[in-house]
Amino acid sequence: MTHMAKTVVIHEHGGPETLTIETRAVDEPGPGEIRIAHRACGLNFIDIYQRSGLYPQRMPAALGMEAAGVVEAVGEGVTHLKPGDRAAYAANPPGAYTEARVMPAAQVCPLPEGISFEEGAAMMLKGMTVEYLFHRTTPLEAGDTVLFHAAAGGVGLIACQWARSEGITLIGTAGSDEKCQLALDHGATHCINYRTEDFVARVRDLTGGKGVVAVMDSVGKDTFDGSLDCLKPLGMLINFGSASGPVPPFNIATLAAKGSLKLTRPTLFTHIADHATCQEMARHLFDKVLSGEVTIRIDQKFALDNIAEAHRALAGRQTTGCTIVTI
């Protein structure tokens, strides 16, 4: 049986005005696939990168990388999910901005009772990103100090709570006093308003001139040089996003001159490509939420029909916490 679903599609790269809503056919799942009816989907900067062409897509392209809903059907070989299961995911290929879809099952995770569909849609990409930042990128332990840019955003507020739960000192940055207070309320030890303070000087002051063991930076171009200057010798800069634009080419010898620094540009999708690893990361995230150590804060909700407005709000730095699109 063929089902029909409203789906957000672009036919060319560009601004929010390129986002159109079409009704598309949704078929039965094939081997290794599921059909899922969404209850909510998440909004992330990667969606903007794909829409704008920073991450080029083949046209026409469906957008959206995370969602939560109910499994309607499973294809041959799918054993970890069954029809009727609550589920959530962050996964390729894009296409989560829709009422329902057929997709690969391997990165779709059973969603525990006690976590709502809206929380599931808001937390998967951001929460598993925090999981790999703290557990799979560079060794971190209780007592370490890290710098986290955009600490009042969706990823940032999860990171603040995650750091507090593991005894890690997190110094955040944000663009207003109100956003700094939000980060502090969620577990940041310190938060720097980068519009009124030099974050490099402030980090050096807070660490007694030593610097931090890691910088977690999703801003990119505007913070890259300063982030390097915040690291202690042998420290690692983890650049996991480009909200201000891509980092320009630079001389790799700079890393040696500044203290044998390390630099990495990871993505969540490398980490979750393996089914077992993906499910393990999701369970770790779910445990944090179910224990109360991490609360998923949803500050903005948009209807699917208002997806362009949602993109404008996120790109304009008008959001805090997580943003979801309701179905």
Side-chain angles (χ1 to χ4, degrees):
M1 178 185 297
T2 299
H3 304 257
M4 306 302 291
K6 288 199 303 184
T7 303
V8 176
V9 180
I10 58 171
H11 291 268
E12 61 181 353
H13 291 300
E17 70 280 357
T18 62
L19 296 163
T20 61
I21 297 179
E22 302 177 1
T23 300
R24 287 187 160 191
V26 183
D27 295 324
E28 294 300 312
E33 294 181 330
I34 65 163
R35 186 177 75 243
I36 183 169
H38 290 156
R39 297 294 186 265
C41 59
L43 186 73
N44 298 282
F45 265 99
I46 191 173
D47 307 343
I48 293 174
Y49 304 156
Q50 292 174 345
R51 187 207 71 218
S52 68
L54 181 62
Y55 296 172
Q57 306 296 300
R58 180 179 296 179
M59 299 297 158
L63 296 181
M65 302 300 296
E66 69 177 341
V70 177
V71 176
E72 292 188 324
V74 302
E76 181 183 353
V78 177
T79 59
H80 70 293
L81 295 165
K82 64 183 186 301
D85 281 353
R86 306 170 75 252
Y89 67 86
N92 275 314
Y97 294 170
T98 184
E99 293 175 320
R101 69 185 295 200
V102 169
M103 64 181 295
Q107 281 68 48
V108 182
C109 306
L111 183 66
E113 296 291 343
I115 299 178
S116 70
F117 289 122
E118 291 190 350
E119 289 171 325
M123 71 190 284
M124 296 300 289
L125 191 148
K126 302 170 189 68
M128 289 197 294
T129 294
V130 173
E131 204 274 353
Y132 85 68
L133 289 173
F134 280 84
H135 294 276
R136 300 172 193 270
T137 310
T138 191
L140 294 173
E141 57 187 31
D144 284 342
T145 300
V146 302
L147 173 65
F148 200 102
H149 290 298
V155 180
L157 292 184
I158 296 173
C160 290
Q161 297 173 81
W162 203 291
R164 177 173 59 188
S165 75
E166 300 195 350
I168 293 171
T169 297
L170 186 145
I171 303 172
T173 70
S176 70
D177 290 343
E178 292 76 16
K179 287 186 174 183
C180 281
Q181 188 59 53
L182 192 59
L184 293 169
D185 291 344
H186 283 74
T189 309
H190 309 280
C191 196
I192 303 163
N193 182 342
Y194 63 80
R195 297 188 189 278
T196 60
E197 289 189 272
D198 178 342
F199 75 82
V200 176
R202 184 69 176 134
V203 167
R204 287 289 170 181
D205 179 59
L206 289 170
T207 60
K210 295 178 180 179
V212 298
V213 299
V215 177
M216 301 173 182
D217 185 357
S218 63
V219 177
K221 177 174 64 70
D222 289 353
T223 51
F224 182 78
D225 291 337
S227 292
L228 290 177
D229 289 336
C230 289
L231 288 167
K232 63 170 51 178
L234 305 178
M236 175 174 280
L237 171 54
I238 309 168
N239 172 250
F240 66 101
S242 305
S244 68
V247 175
F250 80 107
N251 185 348
I252 195 171
T254 302
L255 299 176
K258 290 182 179 291
S260 300
L261 304 180
K262 293 166 282 189
L263 170 66
T264 186
R265 178 54 172 95
T267 72
L268 172 64
F269 303 104
T270 305
H271 287 278
I272 64 173
D274 175 73
H275 168 72
T277 301
C278 176
Q279 301 296 320
E280 177 186 318
M281 292 172 66
R283 287 192 295 269
H284 194 181
L285 171 61
F286 295 150
D287 287 345
K288 288 283 188 184
V289 174
L290 292 170
S291 71
E293 292 179 320
V294 170
T295 299
I296 305 302
R297 180 181 173 120
I298 300 170
D299 285 349
Q300 298 81 211
K301 298 180 184 181
F302 295 86
L304 188 65
D305 290 340
N306 294 329
I307 190 64
E309 182 183 348
H311 270 232
R312 291 187 183 98
L314 183 62
R317 310 287 180 89
Q318 297 167 11
T319 64
T320 55
C322 298
T323 302
I324 62 165
V325 178
T326 56
I327 307 300

